[in-house]
Amino acid sequence: MREVSADPLNRSRFPIEDWRLVETEYSHRDLGTTETLFTVGNGFLGMRGNPEEGRDCYAHGTFINGFHETWRIQHAEEAFGFAQTGQTIINVPDTKLMKIYVDSEPLTLSVADLERYERALDMRQGRLTRSLVWRTPAGKRVRIDTTRMVSFTDRSIALYELEIELLDGNAPVVISSQIVNRQDGGSEYRTPDDNPAGFDPRRANGFAWRVLEPQFNTASGNRMALGFRAANSGMTIGVAVDHYFETENTYGVASSTEPDRGKAVFTVEAEPGKPIRLRKAVAYHVSRSVPARELIDRCRRNLDRVRDLGFEHFQRLQREWLDDYWENADVVIEGQPAIQQAVRWCLFQLAQNAARSDQLGVAAKGVSGSGYEGHYFWDTEIYLVPFLIYTMPNVARNVLRYRVNLLPQARERAAVLSMKGALFPWRTINGEEASAYYAAGTAQFHIDADVAFAVTKYGWATGDTQFLHRDGAAVMVETARMWADLGFWRRGASGRDEFHIHGVTGPDEYTAVVNNNMFTNVMARANLRNAAALMRDIRRDDPDAYARLEETLNLREEEIVEWERCAEGMLVLYDETLGIHPQDEKFLQSELWDVEHTPDNKRPLLLHYHPLVIYRFQVLKQADVVLALFLQGDQFSAQEKRADFEYYDPITTGDSTLSSVVQSLIAAEVGYQDMAMNYFLTGLYVDLADLHANARDGVHIASTGGVWNALVHGFGGMRDHGGHLSFDPRLPEQWRSLSYRLQYRGSRLQVGLEKERITFEVVDGQPVTLSVRGEEFTVAPGARVAVPLADQGPRLKSLEGSHPVIGKVRDDGSVIQAVVPESTES
């Protein structure tokens, strides 16, 4: 990973604009990255930024949330309870393709003579546009403009527009508009490959069999359709396309379909000044079992609506939807145009990959790529759901509904691991555990507490008791049961009974299968407490709902009492010698990994060292204890937070994109303001500058959510422990102001932060009670509240050099050292 402290983008190629990501120069050297950056989607359907004419590309990609193939995982050495079902997102039939020929010469960007080129992702209009002037080998100049849009309001619909105009000279022009099953056919052309050779577990594996089995194909007039069934998962898909062609030139049309391809070919005798316009409407539908023919009928109905209402209708709805989105989600940073553009790109990705997830969940790469095989992780609940709760609470509810729907499989998984309650899968699409490496997968039991954390936060912030009492309650009960069963009681040295949790892996996957991981125990404690509190609230406020829980979940009062006892007895380790919370029982016994002197060509560590080598050292892939300090911040003092941050930061590699935003947030809180900014910029530009060299596989969705967290919780200083809004801001020294909106219990709150004050205004809704640095205020509609600020918190000198504990003596007399393990890797 590269860390950045300033704008890392080439601004001659990617100029700064408030509401667009613009590319003014084509390059084939970073195709994978730019395909990701210029993806369009809506959370259900996503299309990578491949060129309309098909060449060149890194990876053609069109993805539908949850549409996947399965297979049996083949373990080299099988054991009881290992994950059995592999799941990988499917590259659905590609409708982006519109090949262009002028004088029989194909447009191929990598070799084309381009007089002008601009590609732009318009974050206000929700469209990808491209405009170029091509000088053909015969010397004729051709203007080509394209637009691509995936609808936020009609999730199954995508719209394309192509306009070609000869600027001088007559020429025959051919447009071949196609549907192509790329999952099984790939690309017909060999294209530049920016995928470095070598092992990378973050990438998706290919299939060794035909995945999409043709079920149906038809062409009638300018409409064509294909239907498929996935070989093993049995999921079905239908895709249909309509064409609208317009020109004053003489032209002809021929349409046809075959099992893996549909094609509409428009042949034009083009003249200068007579534009050629092609509009292409597309509809996709998928199902777990409905026959493909029926899905195509649904597609036809979608296309009929487009025909009847027109492209302009859907484009207008797209703009209106985005106007409302930005009204609630935008974060404004005055006087920082480069950062502002990057922030809006991140926030736009959250909309593109979550808005229409519609109870399907949000994968680590959303619908922007095949990285991590399209699996859903804990990332969603910890990094994404908080953003959704405070900007789009209805979408947050839908995302949480995905977990509710997985409860039956989670109960089965818990039983396999000899536990009561439910255990959510570490990585999955269909609800079954898909992590073949259990030490860094299934052992991350904290997934249960993460889901419960999101459910609780949603309830606190929205007041949606219907969801909590009906759906959230079941999640809270079953996760609390799991913790109460997984942990055990042991008499401590002080004579106090302590509740221990052994054999788990925390968020830091460089330390696996340990006892009493601090993050896990702290989050489990909150899970147990919040589950018990919710049950008591339901019994008091909604007796009928409580009676249903007693009947359907066999809930008993003694269980609730036991959860409270487990929470109060939870062991949270603390080392008096170093004055910190150990990450786990054995962590401080190991030697430190000398991160400072680890060569760049040995990073990330997971690609260059065997897991057992990494496990032997104090080294972190990502913030672990530090993340707990944020999520359960009311459980720790300012002194504890600073001490923990100072200890763990020097041994955190940041090999996970989830880390830098959390480090930024806590650095800001404890006073390391310059470090907070550097970590923020590193998180902000993870994909835009390809800092982890894997942006080609899709957007890091959790990192984009983390950017919002770093802005609102970090620099904005907002906390919401126990459902109470509080603010202790840390406006960066070089920023003039920061403003954002929050939705809270049905009200919309405008927050404005400047160096001397923080202001609050209820834009609509009821009064909101909050506190600023311990002083309580009630903000009423129409009454702007301004709170003076004496400062922006402490400012400490950045941590530099070797780890501060090197050379100190442990209690057993050993001297603390830091080393870089030698590797014989050639």
Side-chain angles (χ1 to χ4, degrees), residues 609-678:
Y609 295 91
H610 191 285
L612 291 177
V613 174
I614 299 173
Y615 294 163
R616 290 198 294 268
F617 289 85
Q618 290 187 50
V619 62
L620 281 67
K621 180 184 178 186
Q622 65 194 68
D624 193 305
V625 169
V626 171
L627 178 57
L629 301 178
F630 164 53
L631 299 179
Q632 302 297 327
D634 58 338
Q635 303 296 304
F636 303 95
S637 69
Q639 294 76 16
E640 289 174 325
K641 292 177 184 179
R642 178 177 170 181
D644 285 342
F645 179 83
E646 290 174 346
Y647 187 88
Y648 288 104
D649 193 75
I651 53 174
T652 303
T653 64
D655 287 349
S656 167
T657 60
L658 302 178
S659 195
S660 59
V661 288
V662 174
Q663 290 168 277
S664 172
L665 205 155
I666 294 298
E669 180 178 352
V670 302
Y672 288 107
Q673 307 290 3
D674 292 338
M675 295 179 70
M677 177 55 69
N678 289 345

Side-chain angles (χ1 to χ4, degrees), residues 42-284:
N42 60 13
F44 171 75
L45 172 63
M47 298 179 173
R48 288 175 61 78
N50 309 121
E52 282 76 7
E53 57 278 358
R55 294 193 288 170
D56 285 333
C57 83
Y58 165 73
H60 292 287
T62 303
F63 302 99
I64 290 179
N65 195 338
F67 189 69
H68 67 281
E69 176 65 314
T70 60
W71 71 95
R72 180 176 173 80
I73 297 174
Q74 298 295 325
H75 296 277
E77 295 186 27
E78 188 71 70
F80 177 80
F82 278 16
Q84 298 296 315
T85 305
Q87 304 149 49
T88 295
I89 194 169
I90 293 173
N91 190 355
V92 303
D94 182 8
T95 58
K96 301 186 298 292
L97 188 59
M98 291 183 284
K99 296 183 179 181
I100 300 170
Y101 303 86
V102 178
D103 277 334
S104 298
E105 288 285 349
L107 173 59
T108 305
L109 292 182
S110 60
V111 296
D113 182 357
L114 300 178
E115 289 190 358
R116 187 181 77 229
Y117 174 89
E118 181 189 272
R119 176 167 57 165
L121 183 65
D122 190 319
M123 296 175 283
R124 274 289 197 189
Q125 304 291 340
R127 289 189 282 177
L128 176 66
T129 63
R130 192 186 66 177
S131 180
L132 59 88
V133 173
W134 171 35
R135 184 181 292 274
T136 72
K140 296 173 183 176
R141 295 163 62 246
V142 186
R143 176 181 62 83
I144 302 174
D145 294 333
T146 62
T147 67
R148 183 183 303 169
M149 186 188 96
V150 175
S151 174
F152 282 111
T153 57
D154 295 74
R155 72 175 196 175
S156 300
I157 292 176
L159 304 176
Y160 311 104
E161 297 178 87
L162 168 66
E163 182 169 298
I164 301 174
E165 181 182 7
L166 295 183
L167 300 181
D168 43 42
N170 298 349
V173 173
V174 176
I175 304 171
S176 179
S177 176
Q178 302 184 23
I179 310 173
V180 182
N181 173 16
R182 295 200 185 275
Q183 176 62 66
D184 298 294
S187 175
E188 305 99 321
Y189 308 103
R190 185 179 66 84
T191 58
D193 187 356
D194 65 354
N195 175 29
F199 160 77
D200 190 340
R202 299 167 296 186
R203 303 199 65 230
N205 296 315
F207 294 102
W209 62 93
R210 183 181 180 96
V211 175
L212 292 177
E213 299 172 341
Q215 302 289 297
F216 182 81
N217 69 89
T218 183
S220 176
N222 287 338
R223 181 174 290 186
M224 52 192 183
L226 301 178
F228 298 89
R229 178 184 181 277
N232 293 331
S233 72
M235 296 191 74
T236 51
I237 181 170
V239 54
V241 174
D242 254 354
H243 294 95
Y244 302 88
F245 192 75
E246 178 185 343
T247 185
E248 295 179 2
N249 299 290
T250 302
Y251 72 94
V253 185
S255 299
S256 64
T257 57
E258 53 191 74
D260 286 314
R261 187 183 297 266
K263 186 183 298 186
V265 180
F266 301 84
T267 57
V268 185
E269 294 299 323
E271 301 175 25
K274 294 184 177 181
I276 302 164
R277 298 184 181 91
L278 174 63
R279 284 182 159 185
K280 183 176 182 179
V282 179
Y284 288 90

Side-chain angles (χ1 to χ4, degrees), residues 550-602:
E550 288 181 307
E551 180 180 352
T552 59
L553 299 179
N554 194 26
L555 179 65
R556 307 181 314 279
E557 167 64 18
E558 53 266 33
E559 275 191 292
I560 301 172
V561 173
E562 178 62 13
W563 298 343
E564 292 171 327
R565 178 170 174 261
C566 292
E568 294 310 307
M570 185 71 68
L571 176 64
V572 178
L573 299 170
Y574 186 78
D575 184 85
E576 297 287 350
T577 301
L578 296 175
I580 65 165
H581 295 93
Q583 185 165 297
D584 57 70
E585 283 187 0
K586 74 175 184 63
F587 191 80
L588 299 184
Q589 300 170 18
S590 303
E591 296 295 353
L592 296 164
W593 189 299
D594 191 349
V595 175
E596 182 187 12
H597 295 103
T598 302
D600 289 341
N601 64 359
K602 295 297 183 184

Side-chain angles (χ1 to χ4, degrees), residues 8-27:
L9 295 185
N10 173 1
R11 290 306 182 176
S12 64
R13 182 183 174 198
F14 299 103
I16 298 172
E17 290 196 20
D18 281 352
W19 291 102
R20 298 197 309 162
L21 177 67
V22 182
E23 178 189 44
T24 60
E25 178 184 344
Y26 172 81
S27 175

Side-chain angles (χ1 to χ4, degrees), residues 406-415 419-424 445 448 474-475 477-483:
L406 295 190
L407 266 176
Q409 298 99 310
R411 291 184 179 108
E412 292 176 7
R413 186 62 180 165
M419 293 183 304
K420 298 175 183 176
L423 177 61
F424 287 101
F445 290 87
D448 266 26
V475 171
V477 167
E478 298 291 37
T479 53
R481 282 174 170 167
M482 190 280 293
W483 292 118

